[in-house]
Amino acid sequence: MKAATTLPYLRPGWRIWLRATRPRTLSASVAPVLAGSALALRGHFSILRFLLALVGAVAIQAATNMLNEHFDHVQGLDLTRPKRADMVVQTGEMGHNSLLYGGTVAMLLGSLCGLVLVFMTGPSLLVVGLLSVMAGYAYTARPIALGYHALGELTVILFMGPVIVMGANFVQTGHWTASALLLSVPLGMLVTAILHVNNVRDMDDDRTNGKRTLANLLGRRVAEYEYLLLVPGCYPILIVAVAFGALPVPALLSLLSFPIALRLCRQLVGSYGVQPLDRVMIGTARLHLMFGLLTAAGLVIEAVRVRV
């Protein structure tokens, strides 16, 4: 009898489980870990700590993605939406309880990585880790449901920006630094833009089902202005950080991605409907990854220059 009760969680194949994590979005946790870790390369660097931070961040985001779909389904939000490629419950490929199980396992994996890092670095990281796990669970879970009360962007810009970047840097250096904070702001803005496009795409369905987001509260025109603030607006922050010496000059490699940012802004203004806005969202995720990789590459170049 026990085997029969656990078997449904194991039925979906690995491809469905992978799709349930929404892998197209997981770069949102990879890029800030790479950038925050690269900032620490000028000093002592631990590969083990880097891998633990990377696996932990990706696991918590994957868990959040799965739990979001579970709670959106339970609360009836997904029942009226058109079917999308990143959904597995609505298409009948996986039960929502399986997502709850998978999300819980992924959250435990991320928490385990965090606890090992706490043991290595000290208790100050524990508070950050606990808050990250709580935010991942409470994003769509009642009674808090941050994403249902127009707090999605604030939650994402905080936890996918400063928390991950500064955390990845802290586990290497043992210090919370202003440089890591300044580095985290543009990365946090870009990852928030990914969520914002998602909310623009779903604004009518969200409004109908009582989910409040900045997009459906402020309207389409203001939502477009918000995207214009988040995406092109992140580049001046990086330039100022370099100008004041908080970040090295090679970090400006990320400016190579600016033409893509402008193209996405034009694309958003002319895009309506699920598929066109899906393309903008995927493009924004790629921009975030490119920005993070270019910035990390610049920081690696600076670290090599200093060591030589």
Side-chain angles (χ1 to χ4, degrees):
M1 293 299 291
K2 288 185 178 180
T5 59
T6 58
L7 188 58
Y9 296 123
L10 305 177
R11 283 175 184 167
W14 69 267
R15 289 184 178 86
I16 298 175
W17 275 112
L18 178 63
R19 190 149 56 81
T21 68
R22 300 183 181 177
R24 295 184 302 178
T25 70
L26 295 181
S27 61
S29 53
V30 173
V33 171
L34 291 177
S37 300
L39 186 61
L41 280 172
R42 285 177 286 183
H44 173 72
F45 190 84
S46 166
I47 296 294
L48 177 59
R49 293 185 184 188
F50 164 72
L51 292 175
L52 285 169
L54 182 62
V55 173
V58 172
I60 289 177
Q61 188 193 347
T64 302
N65 289 342
M66 287 188 279
L67 292 174
N68 284 354
E69 185 171 352
H70 164 77
F71 288 113
D72 280 348
H73 177 83
V74 169
Q75 290 156 190
L77 188 64
D78 283 346
L79 298 179
T80 58
R81 284 178 174 169
K83 291 183 179 179
R84 299 200 304 264
D86 59 358
M87 289 183 171
V88 293
V89 175
Q90 192 186 45
T91 57
E93 296 169 281
M94 184 181 290
H96 67 89
N97 283 330
S98 295
L99 274 182
L100 178 62
Y101 174 83
T104 301
V105 171
M107 193 70 79
L108 289 173
L109 173 61
S111 300
L112 178 60
C113 291
L115 287 174
V116 174
L117 286 170
V118 168
F119 177 78
M120 290 179 168
T121 62
S124 65
L125 192 66
L126 181 61
V127 176
V128 173
L130 288 174
L131 289 174
S132 298
V133 170
M134 290 170 60
Y137 177 80
Y139 189 80
T140 47
R142 303 286 186 183
I144 301 175
L146 296 166
Y148 281 64
H149 296 92
L151 293 173
E153 283 86 351
L154 178 61
T155 303
V156 167
I157 200 170
L158 176 62
F159 285 94
M160 303 300 286
V163 168
I164 295 186
V165 175
M166 295 180 72
N169 184 257
F170 173 82
V171 301
Q172 298 292 342
T173 65
H175 302 288
W176 303 99
T177 67
S179 294
L181 175 60
L182 288 171
L183 175 61
S184 74
V185 174
L187 285 163
M189 292 171 70
L190 285 175
V191 75
T192 302
I194 302 172
L195 170 69
H196 185 60
V197 177
N198 177 84
N199 289 342
V200 171
R201 180 196 62 191
D202 296 338
M203 58 189 302
D204 292 332
D205 289 332
D206 288 344
R207 185 185 297 114
T208 300
N209 288 280
K211 180 179 180 179
R212 292 178 291 172
T213 65
L214 290 181
N216 66 40
L217 288 176
L218 301 177
R220 173 65 190 242
R221 179 61 61 86
V222 178
E224 290 176 357
Y225 290 146
E226 182 182 340
Y227 187 83
L228 297 177
L229 174 66
L230 290 170
V231 176
C234 73
Y235 292 89
I237 295 174
L238 183 72
I239 293 171
V240 169
V242 171
F244 281 90
L247 295 174
V249 173
L252 293 176
L253 270 177
S254 57
L255 294 180
L256 293 174
S257 64
F258 187 65
I260 298 174
L262 294 181
R263 177 173 58 81
L264 285 168
C265 289
R266 291 193 296 268
Q267 191 176 344
L268 174 72
V269 172
S271 295
Y272 292 86
V274 172
Q275 291 184 348
L277 287 169
D278 263 344
R279 288 193 287 270
V280 178
M281 184 173 65
I282 292 169
T284 307
R286 289 172 178 168
L287 172 66
H288 174 259
L289 178 60
M290 181 182 296
F291 185 98
L293 290 176
L294 287 170
T295 305
L299 295 171
V300 170
I301 290 171
E302 175 66 12
V304 172
R305 185 192 69 80
V306 170
R307 287 179 181 272
V308 172

mmCIF file of all heavy atoms in Angstrom, residues 1-12 97-98 101:
data_model
loop_
_atom_site.group_PDB
_atom_site.id
_atom_site.type_symbol
_atom_site.label_atom_id
_atom_site.label_comp_id
_atom_site.label_asym_id
_atom_site.label_seq_id
_atom_site.Cartn_x
_atom_site.Cartn_y
_atom_site.Cartn_z
ATOM 1 N N MET A 1 0.834 -1.213 0.000
ATOM 2 C CA MET A 1 0.000 0.000 0.000
ATOM 3 C C MET A 1 0.858 1.249 0.000
ATOM 4 O O MET A 1 0.552 2.229 -0.624
ATOM 5 C CB MET A 1 -0.933 -0.008 1.207
ATOM 6 C CG MET A 1 -1.987 -1.097 1.176
ATOM 7 S SD MET A 1 -3.075 -0.941 -0.248
ATOM 8 C CE MET A 1 -3.944 0.569 0.215
ATOM 9 N N LYS A 2 1.969 1.223 0.711
ATOM 10 C CA LYS A 2 2.825 2.407 0.757
ATOM 11 C C LYS A 2 3.398 2.713 -0.608
ATOM 12 O O LYS A 2 3.492 3.855 -1.021
ATOM 13 C CB LYS A 2 3.959 2.202 1.773
ATOM 14 C CG LYS A 2 3.496 2.237 3.206
ATOM 15 C CD LYS A 2 4.682 2.151 4.151
ATOM 16 C CE LYS A 2 4.225 2.240 5.598
ATOM 17 N NZ LYS A 2 5.372 2.157 6.528
ATOM 18 N N ALA A 3 3.776 1.674 -1.335
ATOM 19 C CA ALA A 3 4.331 1.899 -2.672
ATOM 20 C C ALA A 3 3.304 2.549 -3.578
ATOM 21 O O ALA A 3 3.613 3.417 -4.390
ATOM 22 C CB ALA A 3 4.814 0.577 -3.275
ATOM 23 N N ALA A 4 2.041 2.147 -3.424
ATOM 24 C CA ALA A 4 0.991 2.702 -4.272
ATOM 25 C C ALA A 4 0.766 4.176 -4.006
ATOM 26 O O ALA A 4 0.400 4.926 -4.889
ATOM 27 C CB ALA A 4 -0.321 1.918 -4.058
ATOM 28 N N THR A 5 0.992 4.619 -2.771
ATOM 29 C CA THR A 5 0.749 6.022 -2.458
ATOM 30 C C THR A 5 1.880 6.919 -2.954
ATOM 31 O O THR A 5 1.679 8.083 -3.209
ATOM 32 C CB THR A 5 0.592 6.215 -0.935
ATOM 33 O OG1 THR A 5 1.792 5.775 -0.288
ATOM 34 C CG2 THR A 5 -0.583 5.433 -0.412
ATOM 35 N N THR A 6 3.091 6.361 -3.093
ATOM 36 C CA THR A 6 4.206 7.196 -3.541
ATOM 37 C C THR A 6 4.418 7.116 -5.048
ATOM 38 O O THR A 6 5.051 7.981 -5.625
ATOM 39 C CB THR A 6 5.510 6.763 -2.843
ATOM 40 O OG1 THR A 6 5.746 5.383 -3.124
ATOM 41 C CG2 THR A 6 5.406 6.965 -1.338
ATOM 42 N N LEU A 7 3.892 6.062 -5.681
ATOM 43 C CA LEU A 7 4.119 5.852 -7.103
ATOM 44 C C LEU A 7 3.676 7.023 -7.984
ATOM 45 O O LEU A 7 4.389 7.369 -8.935
ATOM 46 C CB LEU A 7 3.436 4.555 -7.552
ATOM 47 C CG LEU A 7 3.743 4.090 -8.984
ATOM 48 C CD1 LEU A 7 5.234 3.891 -9.162
ATOM 49 C CD2 LEU A 7 2.976 2.811 -9.306
ATOM 50 N N PRO A 8 2.502 7.669 -7.742
ATOM 51 C CA PRO A 8 2.089 8.762 -8.614
ATOM 52 C C PRO A 8 3.120 9.877 -8.727
ATOM 53 O O PRO A 8 3.195 10.555 -9.744
ATOM 54 C CB PRO A 8 0.798 9.259 -7.954
ATOM 55 C CG PRO A 8 0.260 8.077 -7.225
ATOM 56 C CD PRO A 8 1.484 7.348 -6.731
ATOM 57 N N TYR A 9 3.920 10.106 -7.706
ATOM 58 C CA TYR A 9 4.921 11.168 -7.773
ATOM 59 C C TYR A 9 6.043 10.810 -8.746
ATOM 60 O O TYR A 9 6.766 11.668 -9.213
ATOM 61 C CB TYR A 9 5.511 11.426 -6.384
ATOM 62 C CG TYR A 9 4.500 11.930 -5.393
ATOM 63 C CD1 TYR A 9 4.268 11.245 -4.208
ATOM 64 C CD2 TYR A 9 3.776 13.087 -5.648
ATOM 65 C CE1 TYR A 9 3.335 11.697 -3.292
ATOM 66 C CE2 TYR A 9 2.844 13.548 -4.748
ATOM 67 C CZ TYR A 9 2.624 12.860 -3.569
ATOM 68 O OH TYR A 9 1.695 13.313 -2.672
ATOM 69 N N LEU A 10 6.229 9.496 -8.993
ATOM 70 C CA LEU A 10 7.344 9.050 -9.811
ATOM 71 C C LEU A 10 6.944 8.802 -11.260
ATOM 72 O O LEU A 10 7.806 8.563 -12.098
ATOM 73 C CB LEU A 10 7.925 7.761 -9.210
ATOM 74 C CG LEU A 10 8.349 7.852 -7.737
ATOM 75 C CD1 LEU A 10 8.826 6.485 -7.265
ATOM 76 C CD2 LEU A 10 9.452 8.881 -7.560
ATOM 77 N N ARG A 11 5.668 8.850 -11.584
ATOM 78 C CA ARG A 11 5.210 8.499 -12.919
ATOM 79 C C ARG A 11 5.692 9.445 -14.011
ATOM 80 O O ARG A 11 6.077 8.998 -15.081
ATOM 81 C CB ARG A 11 3.676 8.412 -12.939
ATOM 82 C CG ARG A 11 3.154 7.126 -12.305
ATOM 83 C CD ARG A 11 1.642 7.135 -12.245
ATOM 84 N NE ARG A 11 1.140 5.956 -11.545
ATOM 85 C CZ ARG A 11 -0.104 5.821 -11.127
ATOM 86 N NH1 ARG A 11 -0.980 6.793 -11.330
ATOM 87 N NH2 ARG A 11 -0.481 4.737 -10.486
ATOM 88 N N PRO A 12 5.664 10.767 -13.829
ATOM 89 C CA PRO A 12 6.111 11.639 -14.916
ATOM 90 C C PRO A 12 7.565 11.368 -15.271
ATOM 91 O O PRO A 12 8.413 11.174 -14.405
ATOM 92 C CB PRO A 12 5.934 13.052 -14.330
ATOM 93 C CG PRO A 12 4.933 12.898 -13.239
ATOM 94 C CD PRO A 12 5.176 11.532 -12.678
ATOM 95 N N ASN A 97 -0.302 17.709 -7.108
ATOM 96 C CA ASN A 97 0.358 17.207 -5.901
ATOM 97 C C ASN A 97 1.781 16.724 -6.185
ATOM 98 O O ASN A 97 2.655 16.789 -5.321
ATOM 99 C CB ASN A 97 -0.463 16.075 -5.280
ATOM 100 C CG ASN A 97 -1.672 16.594 -4.534
ATOM 101 O OD1 ASN A 97 -1.639 17.704 -3.999
ATOM 102 N ND2 ASN A 97 -2.744 15.820 -4.509
ATOM 103 N N SER A 98 2.009 16.228 -7.402
ATOM 104 C CA SER A 98 3.368 15.853 -7.787
ATOM 105 C C SER A 98 4.267 17.083 -7.810
ATOM 106 O O SER A 98 5.430 17.031 -7.394
ATOM 107 C CB SER A 98 3.366 15.185 -9.165
ATOM 108 O OG SER A 98 2.676 13.961 -9.134
ATOM 109 N N TYR A 101 5.189 17.935 -4.323
ATOM 110 C CA TYR A 101 6.236 17.014 -3.864
ATOM 111 C C TYR A 101 7.588 17.404 -4.456
ATOM 112 O O TYR A 101 8.593 17.522 -3.748
ATOM 113 C CB TYR A 101 5.853 15.589 -4.279
ATOM 114 C CG TYR A 101 6.903 14.547 -4.001
ATOM 115 C CD1 TYR A 101 7.033 13.969 -2.747
ATOM 116 C CD2 TYR A 101 7.760 14.123 -5.016
ATOM 117 C CE1 TYR A 101 7.997 13.003 -2.492
ATOM 118 C CE2 TYR A 101 8.732 13.151 -4.772
ATOM 119 C CZ TYR A 101 8.845 12.600 -3.520
ATOM 120 O OH TYR A 101 9.800 11.648 -3.273
#
